[in-house]
Amino acid sequence: MSVLLRTQPQEASAQRPLLSGASGAFGLREAQVFLWLAALLLFAALLALNRVATNLVIQADEGSYLLNAAAIAGKLTRSALVFEYSSGYSLLLAPAFLLTSDFQTVYGIALGVNALLMATLPFAFYRIVGAVFAECPERDRVACAVAAALYAPALVLSQYALSDNALLAAYAWALVAGISAMRGGPRSAAILCGALLGFLFVIHARGAPLAVPVLVAFALHAVRRREVRGRVTLIWLCTFVIGALHRPLERMAGKLDGFSAAGPSLHEIVSHFAQATAWKQALLNVGGATLVSVVGSAGLVVVLAIWAWRRFRTASSFADTSFVLVIACFGSLLACIVTTAVFFTPPARADHVAYGRYLLPTLPTLVALGLAALRSRNVNAGASIAVALAIGSLLAIFVAFGFDALPPADAHNWNAVNTVELYVPYKLAGRPLDAVLIAAWYAGIGLIVLGAARMSRSSGAAAFALINVIVAGYMFVDNTVYSRKYYAMDRTIIAAAKQFSMSTGDHFCIEFDPDLSDWHQIDFRSRLYDQLPESRHPSPCISARISKMAPSDPAFGAPPGMIALAIESTSPSGSFPVALFARDDERTRDFRDRHPSYLDRWQPIPPEQQHAKLQATVDPTVRLARGAFTMVEVVATNASDRPWLIRGLYPVLLGVRVLKDDSQFEREDRVEFDTDMGAGQSRKLIAPIGPVDEPGRYTVTIGVVQEQIAWFPDAITFKVDVVP
């Protein structure tokens, strides 16, 4: 870092005025103090948040990266891995498995690595802003750099073990090293720039769209300036040398074909886009990704684009290092937008239409430059924001119309983590991609940033930072924390396996049914890592298996010589229950007898425990018109010692039965309890009565029923007269 933070002798150092104020001069020394302070505070804040984020959420991604890291560290055999995820980010995490075999500890280390990478960003953005806007005072450079480092999607994704965090930091520092090399810095800067650009591809195959535009921009710069050709050649060479490590690294992680993890082949893409409908879908995705970049940056991307266009018309373009750097950033953004659009054609979920995660490595850099451009000589801030607001609003309308054409099931499947930029409009509307609310949100934050920037760059940067910290905090509490509880903390099989090890001191060696989905395999393997036979646990272990359950079998489909210890539904993914089976011996039978709750959802409540207390205010005889219905408020209390479970093979529900003449079946209805109910707990429900088509006298029974087993004897009965 000392090489890259030195004062450059050419363009950037020519104009570095000090900003004088009542408190004295704010120069380079003060700037570095503030940068270090911001970096340390950011690092400490993210580490504190890491204490909350203690479990995986995006299992297919997070779990795969961590398992690949274990394989690279030699802690898992190849047979353990069946996941098609790039492993470059895993390389950063692999040393943690050499220090500890506790998967939870390694996950904490992964989030710590993310916090460290994030803490370096203010330094990188400070150098980038100074390289492009040499006239920008030191105080404003610091403000723009820190605000960009607080970009909401970056803050949110730092709490996940995802490759996006490494891509963001590597891209920013590659630009810093590249600009240093272009301006006469040491050759080590060119080597570092090329190494980081190559490492982008090693981290993930989508690092290529980030790196290639930078290489092209530097090459065009070398055409115009002979003295930098040697350094540009060195950058290209180092990029391809380091990028070539992608395939060997995938092999280390257990992948037989490294490039299969990079996504569809070129032939598959070309064949797919031979269809006319694919072009329409890709165009919709391009509009959605562009919308994310414009709204997420509060229009600053458009402001910077206007600055670049005017600079292109008034300067010697590619002979100007500042212009080259900005064009490289926009080239990377455009490449990421196109890559995202192609990859998610056709969109399988709503967030694929406006997918922001793949744009993350480029946007904070553009935000820092956009904030600095607001008060540049080449930019009319008011006119630029007006143009930005118009472009963003038109994009919102275009994407919303295209989104409405999605199938209903896809339109409601929205993963908010992938598009943090649109999270607030999504929550306000209750549906994804609402054009009116997106435009209103965008106009609001754009005008706030503009109004603050009219006072100074620092004020605009502070406004942008505050908005993004609020959005990140809102999403972290509303989405990250609660989704972790839903996805990661409440899996019966994982709880049972860990409880068995804790209470007995014995250890499972768990194998997996090949028919289990990748989602299941990744989630189970990552969170039961120490119980995998491939993890080479030195102590003896009890053979166990996780596989599909056979509900009709009294033994739940247990393999020969095994018994079921725990069963769970596959929510949030899949449609069949899965079970943990273990070798049938005295220890496992004793554990099953002492922990029956792990099987409760899949076993009938015995007759002696089928007790409920029901309260309702209802007339002895109710009159209804034919075809009409009424509602009865019922308070149900669990009067047994067994919990009432609303999910499983035999869920407990509130039932309504209507009989004509006390014997002829007319209709039955069910009302679900909102949560499981322990002994003595009560819930208030609304039970529907009717409609009934034929006039006559009917007997209505409201009671608790365990589906497929029995109605509980404690019930409310009354008469209903249906009149013509």
Side-chain angles (χ1 to χ4, degrees):
M1 187 180 296
S2 60
V3 172
L4 300 176
L5 289 176
R6 70 171 62 175
T7 303
Q8 300 297 336
Q10 296 184 21
E11 298 163 74
S13 61
Q15 303 178 54
R16 298 188 66 148
L18 300 179
L19 181 64
S20 299
S23 59
F26 192 101
L28 180 61
R29 182 187 299 272
E30 290 78 12
Q32 294 204 358
V33 170
F34 272 85
L35 286 172
W36 276 106
L37 180 61
L40 291 174
L41 288 175
L42 180 59
F43 181 66
L46 293 179
L47 283 183
L49 289 178
N50 292 351
R51 302 298 298 174
V52 178
T54 56
N55 287 285
L56 284 68
V57 172
I58 311 177
Q59 286 92 340
D61 298 56
E62 293 187 279
S64 183
Y65 285 127
L66 290 164
L67 289 170
N68 287 343
I72 293 172
K75 300 296 184 178
L76 284 178
T77 61
R78 289 185 178 184
S79 62
L81 302 174
V82 294
F83 324 120
E84 295 185 354
Y85 286 83
S86 295
S87 306
Y89 175 65
S90 304
L91 184 64
L92 302 178
L93 311 179
F97 281 98
L98 301 177
L99 301 175
T100 177
S101 295
D102 182 70
F103 202 87
Q104 204 66 34
T105 301
V106 174
Y107 185 67
I109 293 174
L111 300 187
V113 169
N114 291 348
L116 180 61
L117 294 173
M118 286 286 293
T120 68
L121 293 180
F123 297 100
F125 296 150
Y126 169 79
R127 294 304 302 167
I128 292 171
V129 170
V132 177
F133 297 97
E135 75 282 0
C136 184
E138 296 286 350
R139 186 193 303 274
D140 291 346
R141 294 186 195 185
V142 172
C144 294
V146 173
L150 296 176
Y151 186 52
L155 294 177
V156 170
L157 288 175
S158 70
Q159 303 305 302
Y160 299 81
L162 298 173
S163 61
D164 306 84
N165 302 283
L167 288 171
L168 171 58
Y171 180 76
W173 281 107
L175 294 178
V176 172
I179 205 69
S180 177
M182 295 299 99
R183 290 183 167 174
R187 290 188 179 275
S188 59
I191 295 173
L192 179 59
C193 175
L196 289 173
L197 290 175
F199 190 54
L200 289 172
F201 181 65
V202 173
I203 294 172
H204 198 285
R206 57 188 168 86
L210 291 169
V212 171
V214 178
L215 292 173
V216 172
F218 286 174
L220 293 173
H221 184 54
V223 170
R224 298 298 301 271
R225 293 183 58 183
R226 185 187 303 270
E227 66 272 17
V228 302
R229 292 178 183 175
R231 286 182 170 82
V232 171
T233 301
L234 188 57
I235 290 173
W236 275 72
L237 179 62
C238 292
T239 298
F240 284 100
V241 169
I242 299 300
L245 298 177
H246 175 87
R247 189 180 183 92
L249 183 63
E250 294 300 319
R251 288 183 177 276
M252 289 176 61
K255 315 288 179 55
L256 297 181
D257 183 359
F259 292 99
S260 68
S265 68
L266 180 61
H267 177 266
E268 291 172 327
I269 293 174
V270 172
S271 300
H272 179 68
F273 278 89
Q275 307 172 35
T277 56
W279 289 100
K280 297 178 182 179
Q281 294 165 337
L283 182 61
L284 173 63
N285 290 358
V286 167
T290 306
L291 173 69
V292 169
S293 66
V294 173
V295 174
S297 67
L300 295 171
V301 167
V302 179
V303 172
L304 185 62
I306 294 172
W307 175 91
W309 172 248
R310 292 179 176 174
R311 191 67 173 262
F312 175 74
R313 298 173 61 188
T314 59
S316 53
S317 62
F318 284 99
D320 179 6
T321 312
S322 302
F323 178 79
V324 167
L325 181 61
V326 173
I327 291 303
C329 294
F330 273 113
S332 296
L333 175 62
L334 180 60
C336 288
I337 288 174
V338 173
T339 301
T340 301
V342 171
F343 190 79
F344 293 119
T345 298
R349 299 197 311 255
D351 55 297
H352 290 171
V353 176
Y355 201 85
R357 206 173 108 198
Y358 287 2
L359 314 181
L360 176 63
T362 63
L363 284 175
T365 301
L366 292 168
V367 163
L369 294 172
L371 286 168
L374 274 174
R375 294 181 65 86
S376 170
R377 292 189 299 267
N378 294 330
V379 170
N380 182 318
S384 299
I385 288 293
V387 172
L389 291 176
I391 291 175
S393 300
L394 290 174
L395 283 170
I397 295 171
F398 168 75
V399 174
F401 275 116
F403 171 76
D404 288 338
L406 287 178
D410 295 342
H412 288 87
N413 189 359
W414 176 268
N415 187 342
V417 173
N418 294 325
T419 311
V420 179
E421 294 87 343
L422 303 181
Y423 188 68
V424 172
Y426 164 67
K427 293 296 290 186
L428 292 175
R431 64 184 293 270
L433 299 177
D434 184 283
V436 174
L437 280 174
I438 291 175
W441 166 253
Y442 174 50
I445 61 176
L447 292 174
I448 290 173
V449 173
L450 170 62
R454 291 180 67 88
M455 294 183 287
S456 68
R457 285 189 181 95
S458 298
S459 299
F464 183 87
L466 181 61
I467 291 170
N468 279 264
V469 168
I470 291 174
V471 170
Y474 174 42
M475 181 168 181
F476 182 78
V477 173
D478 189 51
N479 184 276
T480 306
V481 173
Y482 292 114
S483 64
R484 284 183 202 280
K485 292 179 180 179
Y486 176 64
Y487 284 98
M489 295 183 179
D490 189 24
R491 298 214 67 176
T492 305
I493 286 178
I494 292 171
K498 291 186 175 183
Q499 180 64 41
F500 182 87
S501 295
M502 291 176 57
S503 61
T504 67
D506 292 318
H507 191 80
F508 282 142
C509 287
I510 301 175
E511 296 181 349
F512 295 88
D513 184 345
D515 291 336
L516 288 179
S517 67
D518 281 358
W519 186 91
H520 276 300
Q521 295 227 21
I522 294 169
D523 191 37
F524 284 134
R525 288 180 188 275
S526 60
R527 293 198 285 129
L528 294 175
Y529 167 77
D530 60 340
Q531 302 195 34
L532 301 179
E534 300 95 338
S535 65
R536 302 172 182 171
H537 198 280
S539 60
C541 56
I542 298 173
S543 59
R545 182 179 177 84
I546 296 177
S547 61
K548 294 181 181 181
M549 185 195 101
S552 59
D553 184 352
F556 306 112
M562 290 187 170
I563 60 172
L565 296 185
I567 301 172
E568 66 176 42
S569 60
T570 59
S571 179
S573 173
S575 58
F576 55 83
V578 291
L580 169 65
F581 301 104
R583 187 178 66 216
D584 186 1
D585 61 20
E586 184 178 348
R587 290 168 297 178
T588 53
R589 286 187 173 275
D590 179 66
F591 177 82
R592 186 182 64 176
D593 293 341
R594 287 187 292 108
H595 298 87
S597 61
Y598 294 131
L599 295 172
D600 275 348
R601 293 185 187 275
W602 311 95
Q603 293 181 329
I605 296 176
E608 63 272 15
Q609 292 290 338
Q610 295 174 358
H611 296 298
K613 180 181 179 182
L614 301 177
Q615 295 176 307
T617 301
V618 61
D619 295 333
T621 301
V622 177
R623 290 176 63 85
L624 280 180
R626 184 178 65 177
F629 68 93
T630 188
M631 310 297 284
V632 175
E633 185 177 282
V634 180
V635 177
T637 302
N638 183 353
S640 70
D641 297 328
R642 293 284 296 271
W644 291 354
L645 305 175
I646 63 173
R647 296 288 182 268
L649 188 60
Y650 310 113
V652 176
L653 310 166
L654 185 70
V656 180
R657 174 181 289 167
V658 180
L659 300 178
K660 187 176 184 180
D661 300 329
D662 292 333
S663 60
Q664 182 181 341
F665 176 80
E666 180 65 28
R667 64 178 296 141
E668 275 194 7
D669 296 288
R670 298 287 188 267
V671 181
E672 290 188 357
F673 296 99
D674 56 351
T675 62
D676 295 340
M677 292 176 58
Q681 292 185 333
S682 300
R683 292 289 186 277
K684 183 183 294 185
L685 300 95
I686 303 297
I689 310 300
V692 178
D693 294 331
E694 296 295 329
R697 169 158 286 199
Y698 294 83
T699 301
V700 176
T701 301
I702 300 177
V704 175
V705 56
Q706 186 174 31
E707 206 67 83
Q708 303 183 54
I709 301 300
W711 284 69
F712 290 11
D714 313 295
I716 297 173
T717 301
F718 55 93
K719 302 293 184 180
V720 173
D721 287 334
V722 178
V723 296

